[in-house]
Structures are given as C-alpha cells and as structure tokens.
C-alpha cells in the first residue's frame, strides 16, 4: 500500500491536490530554512498549514462532517508522505476512518483495508532526502474579483486588480477593515485601501502578487469570493506611492502580511 493508493480511495481528488500543493511549498521552504532540523521543520510549517485548513476543521459554518473527515484524513496521509506526523492530526484521522465507514461514505475496498490504512499512517514516517518539487503557480481568480480571507475567527477583504503573468498570480490590495464574518460588498464600498507602514513610519500603497491562490472555490474555505466584476477599487489616494509595482507573496506569506498590516 502506498500513500497515493490510500488517497485515491478518498474520492476527493481536488481536495487532495490542494493540500498536497500547500504541503510541497511549505515543506520545501522548511527544508531550505531549517536544513537538517526535522522537528524544527515541522514546527516551522505546521502552524501555517493549520491556520489555513482549520478553516474547514474548526468551521462555524455549514461544512459537512464527511468533508471534514476526508480533510483531516488527507492531512494525515500527506504529512506522512512528506515524512512528518502530528499526533493530534493522526488521532483525528483514525476517528475519521471509523466515521466514514459508519456512514458508508467510501468504497467497500476502503472499509476492508481500514485497519491497514490505520497502521500505515501510525507507522513512523520516513523523512524526505531532498526538497519536494513545487507546483507551478496558476489561478482561477480574475481581475475585479473581491475576496474574503479568513484568519482564525477574523475576516479580511482584498480587491484583485489584475492577474500577473498567464493566469499565474492575483495581484491584490487589502481593504482597511477587519470583520467577524465574511463582509458584504456594500460594507467594503465604504472602505479605503489599507496600506503597509514601513520603517520610516509612512503608510504606502501595497499590492501583493499571491502565488498559490488557485482554486475557486477554495478547498480550504479560507478564501471566499464576495463578488466578481467589481469596477470600484478601494481608494488609496491617502497613501504614499511606493517605488515598486507589487510585492511577491504566497498564501502563507500572506498570513504574516495580514498579521503585520492589521496588528493593533
């Protein structure tokens, strides 16, 4: 039995692909930054990964339990594939296998091999010997989309000005607002852009080209489309102009950017 054979039994190809692409990026960065420190690599990327995928696992909105079970099981299998394990995720994955079987959600083959799958993901994973390859950046979002980004229990909104490259990376600008739920377009129309404040204390127009902002809808539920074809951009005349077009970023750098930009 291989990781891919187990993942195929989940019948959730795009969900698996989305987690896999997130992990390949994070693990590659962790192996580059933390070098041979395997526990340090896990400590580096797991909080970033779970800040995103907890939007499914801990969602307070309607997401089916079957989807949550498949998500945590896919997380456990893919972590194992990349040479890592987290006891909490593994324990939840074991319970998810039982729940999926009780609901007769997956195939008879999955049911028959459940004990083997449990033993497989509980075995000590083998660390990778080299950094994994990272998927080419592409996106299904479009210019003039307005999106919501969830960070734990808070929501932030951004306007996509255009797509950098050939369907590669959305170039977005944040609205100056923090919300307790996904904001409406009418709420955002009243808000200016949020600039980034640099070491000189000056707030400047700040656009970000975000790699990895791919699936629409977002399989992790972290990104939600508020509206498309929005002509009205967030006003940024109150901000200084920067000496650059945009900052290169990705889904996980974006987490740090939001924390920094909106810290009280």
């Amino acid at each position: 039995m291989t990781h891919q054979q187990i993942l195929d039994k989940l019948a959730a190809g795009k969900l698996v692909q989305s987690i896999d692409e997130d992990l390949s990026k994070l693990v590659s960065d962790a192996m580059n930054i933390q070098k041979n420190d395997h526990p340090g690599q896990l400590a580096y990327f797991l909080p970033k990964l779970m800040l995103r995928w907890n939007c499914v696992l801990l969602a307070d909105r309607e997401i089916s339990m079957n989807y949550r079970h498949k998500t945590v099981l896919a997380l456990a299998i893919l972590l194992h594939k990349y040479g890592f394990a987290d006891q909490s995720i593994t324990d939840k994955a074991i319970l998810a296998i039982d729940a999926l079987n009780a609901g007769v959600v997956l195939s008879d083959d999955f049911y028959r091999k459940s004990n083997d799958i449990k033993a497989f993901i509980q075995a000590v994973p083998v660390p990778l010997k080299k950094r994994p390859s990272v998927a080419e950046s592409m996106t299904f979002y479009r210019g003039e989309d307005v999106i919501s980004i969830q960070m734990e229990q808070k929501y932030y909104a951004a306007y996509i000005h255009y797509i950098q490259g050939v369907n590669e990376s959305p170039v977005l600008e944040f609205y100056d607002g923090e919300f307790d739920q996904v904001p409406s377009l009418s709420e955002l129309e009243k808000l200016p852009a949020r600039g980034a404040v640099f070491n000189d204390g000056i707030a400047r127009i700040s656009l970000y080209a975000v790699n990895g902002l791919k699936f629409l809808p977002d399989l992790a539920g972290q990104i939600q489309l508020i509206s498309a074809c929005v002509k009205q951009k967030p006003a940024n005349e109150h901000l200084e102009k920067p000496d650059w077009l945009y900052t290169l970023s990705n889904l996980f750098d974006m987490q740090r950017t939001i924390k920094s930009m909106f810290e009280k």
Side-chain angles (χ1 to χ4, degrees):
M1 185 177 294
T2 66
H3 296 98
Q4 191 58 53
Q5 287 172 336
I6 300 173
L7 291 167
D8 288 344
K9 297 180 193 306
L10 298 184
K14 292 302 181 183
L15 170 64
V16 169
Q17 181 185 351
S18 184
I19 298 174
D20 197 9
E21 290 184 3
D22 283 355
L23 264 172
S24 66
K25 168 62 179 170
L26 287 168
V27 172
S28 179
D29 287 350
M31 291 178 72
N32 183 52
I33 294 168
Q34 298 294 330
K35 304 299 180 183
N36 297 320
D37 181 3
H38 193 257
Q41 293 168 9
L42 182 64
Y44 169 82
F45 76 76
L46 190 60
K48 298 178 175 67
L49 180 73
M50 297 314 296
L51 183 59
R52 176 160 159 72
W53 286 95
N54 275 338
C55 296
V56 169
L57 301 181
L58 303 179
D60 57 5
R61 60 186 183 278
E62 186 175 343
I63 294 179
S64 75
M65 288 307 300
N66 289 337
Y67 189 77
R68 298 181 200 225
H69 293 324
K70 287 186 178 184
T71 298
V72 76
L73 182 51
L75 281 164
I77 297 165
L78 287 164
L79 275 170
H80 196 277
K81 168 188 168 182
Y82 283 98
F84 297 93
D86 175 79
Q87 192 61 53
S88 175
I89 292 174
T90 302
D91 290 345
K92 291 174 184 175
I94 298 300
L95 295 175
I97 292 173
D98 293 336
L100 290 167
N101 284 331
V104 197
V105 176
L106 298 177
S107 66
D108 289 343
D109 189 52
F110 179 87
Y111 175 81
R112 288 193 299 270
K113 294 179 179 175
S114 291
N115 288 335
D116 292 336
I117 295 171
K118 290 178 181 179
F120 188 95
I121 62 176
Q122 288 177 302
V124 177
V126 179
L128 299 181
K129 294 182 179 179
K130 62 179 182 179
R131 291 167 57 193
S133 59
V134 177
E136 181 180 4
S137 182
M138 67 171 295
T139 186
F140 294 104
Y141 293 84
R142 293 293 178 263
E144 300 181 350
D145 284 350
V146 175
I147 60 172
S148 165
I149 304 164
Q150 183 179 350
M151 294 278 288
E152 297 178 328
Q153 302 305 311
K154 295 295 182 180
Y155 296 82
Y156 305 87
Y159 182 90
I160 297 177
H161 287 264
Y162 58 92
I163 305 300
Q164 185 273 330
V166 181
N167 295 334
E168 292 177 15
S169 304
V171 177
L172 57 81
E173 183 174 22
F174 289 98
Y175 289 88
D176 190 6
E178 182 180 78
F179 303 87
D180 293 325
Q181 60 187 8
V182 177
S184 66
L185 185 61
S186 61
E187 289 178 288
L188 298 177
E189 288 172 344
K190 310 169 189 175
L191 297 178
R194 178 89 171 196
V197 178
F198 295 87
N199 292 335
D200 57 9
I202 298 174
R204 290 185 171 84
I205 296 171
S206 297
L207 275 62
Y208 300 89
V210 184
N211 293 335
L213 183 51
K214 181 175 183 177
F215 288 107
L216 178 62
D218 177 27
L219 282 299
Q222 184 183 29
I223 315 297
Q224 296 189 55
L225 180 66
I226 296 173
S227 187
C229 303
V230 178
K231 301 298 182 183
Q232 181 180 331
K233 305 173 184 178
N236 58 19
E237 293 82 2
H238 61 294
L239 302 170
E240 293 290 327
K241 292 184 179 179
D243 295 327
W244 55 89
L245 288 176
Y246 52 74
T247 300
L248 290 174
S249 185
N250 60 58
L251 275 176
F252 303 101
D253 288 342
M254 187 175 66
Q255 295 175 355
R256 185 176 65 247
T257 295
I258 291 173
K259 288 181 179 180
S260 172
M261 185 177 283
F262 289 90
E263 65 184 358
K264 302 300 183 184

